[in-house]
Amino acid sequence: MKKYLTIDDLLAFCKQSKMDNFSAKDAGGPIIIQSFGEISTSDTTTMGLTPCTLQACHTELNKNHSFIEDSVMQNALASFANRPILGYVYQLNDGSWDFWDHRMSIEEDGDETRVEYLERPIGVIPESCNAHLEYDENHKKNYVVVNGYIYDDYGNRALDIIKENDGKVSVSV
């Protein structure tokens, strides 16, 4: 069984292997990366759903050296609607709980390879998500910001983790 690593691990692997380019066409599929954002909630809950705001991903130069223009991201904003909010909740050594990475495993059976995602739905981004680009003064970048809902009861401790961190946590999106 193989596991995907963090973007830092991927960059270290590429440097160590002297890999300076990648073709999804030649490799038979893409490399999936993560980007760091934030999720914050309000104190209001409605019928088992707590409203949240996700700072999903940013434009221009990313940690993996990819570059996404504002216009490209603007054209992709509609793709956020009606998607699940996923999270992998992990127990830390001290017994507390936190979000972890995009946890998945690759199952290989002969010629067949299957990705199994270990993240679970912790909420939903509705069609009315108001996806837009917003400049973050602290990070000096344009981020995609969307509105969503965290499940109160079915969020696998997600809401508790967010509330324990003053209603705002860093996440990988």
Side-chain angles (χ1 to χ4, degrees), residues 11-12 22 61 80 82 86 100 103 108 123 140 161 166 173:
L11 288 173
F22 175 81
L61 188 62
F80 281 88
N82 300 315
L86 302 174
W100 206 250
R103 189 57 52 114
E108 293 186 16
K140 308 286 188 223
I161 294 168
D166 298 322
V173 180

Side-chain angles (χ1 to χ4, degrees), residues 105-109 112-116:
S105 65
I106 298 177
E107 306 286 331
E108 293 186 16
D109 184 15
E112 186 177 332
T113 302
R114 185 173 59 97
V115 176
E116 182 174 336

Side-chain angles (χ1 to χ4, degrees), residues 128-143:
S128 59
C129 66
N130 187 29
H132 64 280
L133 289 176
E134 187 174 295
Y135 186 74
D136 182 312
E137 189 65 41
N138 292 331
H139 295 104
K140 308 286 188 223
K141 298 176 184 177
N142 280 329
Y143 278 84

